[in-house]
Amino acid sequence: MAMHLNSISNQVNKIHCGFNVVDALNNWISTKCNQIRKFPIRFAAMRTKHFIVILCCVIITTILFIALGPASETNDSLKNIVSQTHQQFNKLQENLRVSERKKLEIDTKYLTILGFSSQISSKSVGSEFYKYELNDGITESLKYKNNKVPSPKKDYINMVELTHKPLQYETTTHSNLTSTQLFNETKANFSIVTYVQEGQSPLAILMLQNIANKLPNEFLLIYDLGLSEEDARALNAYCNSTRCSVISYDLSVFPTHVADQRMHAYRPIIIKDALMRSKYILFAENYMRIRGSIQDFRYLQRKVAKSGVLGWNTPIAVSARTHPKMFDYFQTDIDDFFFLRMVDMDIVFFADNSFVTEKIMLPWIKCALTLECIDPIGAQSNGCKYNKKPQYRYSGCHSYDASAFNIVLGLTWFLDDTKYSLPSDSYNIFYKETLEQATKILENRRRNSSEISEHPFTED
């Protein structure tokens, strides 16, 4: 029995010793694991200390080098860097200016045909629009002295009387007219100008009859831009007085895009040619008709004698009907035209003087003859979306020559459309007549139908 108890006691002691060994082994393993966990932290701390030490050494060495080095050489090096950077910046600016000028450079033969013999050279200066250099060495600035730029957010509804003095007009006869010589090669005082294209002869015929009725003493110039022989004979049969003339104008001498009816690039060309024939003109689309009195007409003539250009504005902003890329060709931003009302091209008065020739007609025609200016990539004439807000955003449709015309006017008159346009509510002295209406009226007249019963408009 005692031996059995001793055996049991020995086994218990062995088991207890085994537990002690296991505990010791567990303690050793735990210690090593804790050491392993702390090693990356210690290593990172050591690495950070080494990096800080090295950085401090570099900084101290740099400071000593700058302090002990020759000051003159350091200053010269800095000056050279600044000087070279400034030269490169100036060169880049000049290249940009040259690039902008080249965009509106056109063949001088076109300018000669259109009577710009002394205003061929042009350049841009700073933020100004353009300065045109004349052959006699005189440079006329676009900007007038003491003129203040009006706020673009002002109310453009009220008409403001012009305050500057009337312009002096040239009376010299142009010797480079390529079309029929009119009025014994003497400039007329005033002419109404329109154009007619294939299929539009009924509109032109009714227009000349309207002018003969309302303004019988005024000249009418009708530019033939491609009538058929039959339509041309019919038009000439009606235009058979000394106060009416049909001018066959050849657009083939200009770039091919000028004849595109979508762009209307021929309109400024026609207007400039007409200004070589008359001191004042009223450009009108052939579907426009006059129903106002002679007194109304004379009032408008007096106003254009002051401004040089006179049209009617619309509620639409220039920025809404002008492709954003067109503004680049005039070195201006679309933001400046958010609150400028667009002038309609259906009816516009012009005066022949050096101001209109150099500041308005020249840049306008340059853009019209430059395809990339008048028809920027992505431009289209339809698909207008005026429901965008704000409403001065680009509507998606472009007005081509009318857009360029309005940009030129805005830049010339510092975004003040009261200087060159009237409110749209005074437009009621004119009205429009569609081709369908004109054709029907002519057919009824041939059948001896009553003119009053068929005409869609009355004199009231």
Side-chain angles (χ1 to χ4, degrees), residues 153-217:
K153 296 183 179 180
K154 64 180 293 187
D155 183 12
Y156 289 104
I157 299 298
N158 297 325
M159 181 175 66
V160 180
E161 291 292 335
L162 302 179
T163 57
H164 64 281
K165 296 180 180 180
L167 300 168
Q168 300 296 323
Y169 301 104
E170 302 171 355
T171 57
T172 57
T173 302
H174 296 274
S175 60
N176 59 343
L177 299 181
T178 57
S179 304
T180 307
Q181 300 298 316
L182 302 177
F183 319 128
N184 297 323
E185 298 185 354
T186 302
K187 290 172 72 92
N189 184 60
F190 180 81
S191 298
I192 300 168
V193 178
T194 190
Y195 65 93
V196 60
Q197 295 173 307
E198 185 177 0
Q200 298 177 350
S201 59
L203 289 171
I205 291 171
L206 286 188
M207 180 181 187
L208 68 88
Q209 291 180 345
N210 174 255
I211 298 298
N213 181 35
K214 289 294 185 178
L215 303 170
N217 296 324

Side-chain angles (χ1 to χ4, degrees), residues 16 29 32 91 134 166 173 190 284 288 316 327 394-395 417 442 446 454:
H16 182 71
I29 292 172
K32 294 301 180 181
K91 185 176 180 181
L134 308 182
T173 302
F190 180 81
M288 299 303 299
I316 303 173
F327 293 96
Y394 179 52
S395 64
D417 61 1
L442 283 180
R446 292 191 184 100
E454 294 297 337

Side-chain angles (χ1 to χ4, degrees), residues 40-230:
I41 298 175
R42 293 176 181 176
F43 179 76
M46 292 175 61
R47 185 173 59 181
T48 303
K49 290 179 181 179
H50 292 161
F51 175 76
I52 292 173
V53 171
I54 295 172
L55 180 62
C56 291
C57 293
V58 172
I59 293 173
I60 293 171
T61 304
T62 304
I63 294 173
L64 292 175
F65 178 78
I66 294 174
L68 299 178
S72 60
E73 293 181 2
T74 304
N75 293 335
D76 292 341
S77 177
L78 291 175
K79 288 180 180 179
N80 290 333
I81 294 173
V82 172
S83 177
Q84 292 177 3
T85 304
H86 186 66
Q87 290 176 0
Q88 293 293 332
F89 181 73
N90 288 339
K91 185 176 180 181
L92 178 61
Q93 278 188 323
E94 183 62 25
N95 289 337
L96 290 175
R97 293 194 190 103
V98 171
S99 177
E100 290 294 336
R101 286 200 299 268
K102 284 183 177 179
K103 288 182 179 179
L104 285 181
E105 284 185 354
I106 59 176
D107 197 325
T108 56
K109 69 179 181 180
Y110 302 135
L111 301 180
T112 302
I113 292 173
L114 295 171
F116 292 109
S117 57
S118 62
Q119 297 92 6
I120 294 177
S121 161
S122 67
K123 66 178 181 179
S124 60
V125 179
S127 61
E128 295 181 355
F129 177 36
Y130 283 107
K131 285 185 177 180
Y132 296 99
E133 295 182 353
L134 308 182
N135 286 344
D136 55 6
I138 300 175
T139 301
E140 296 184 2
S141 175
L142 173 71
K143 294 186 176 180
Y144 294 123
K145 294 181 179 179
N146 302 323
N147 256 359
K148 295 182 179 180
V149 179
S151 172
K153 296 183 179 180
K154 64 180 293 187
D155 183 12
Y156 289 104
I157 299 298
N158 297 325
M159 181 175 66
V160 180
E161 291 292 335
L162 302 179
T163 57
H164 64 281
K165 296 180 180 180
L167 300 168
Q168 300 296 323
Y169 301 104
E170 302 171 355
T171 57
T172 57
T173 302
H174 296 274
S175 60
N176 59 343
L177 299 181
T178 57
S179 304
T180 307
Q181 300 298 316
L182 302 177
F183 319 128
N184 297 323
E185 298 185 354
T186 302
K187 290 172 72 92
N189 184 60
F190 180 81
S191 298
I192 300 168
V193 178
T194 190
Y195 65 93
V196 60
Q197 295 173 307
E198 185 177 0
Q200 298 177 350
S201 59
L203 289 171
I205 291 171
L206 286 188
M207 180 181 187
L208 68 88
Q209 291 180 345
N210 174 255
I211 298 298
N213 181 35
K214 289 294 185 178
L215 303 170
N217 296 324
E218 305 297 349
F219 291 103
L220 174 62
L221 305 181
I222 303 175
Y223 283 77
D224 177 4
L225 301 185
L227 285 178
S228 63
E229 293 184 4
E230 181 181 356

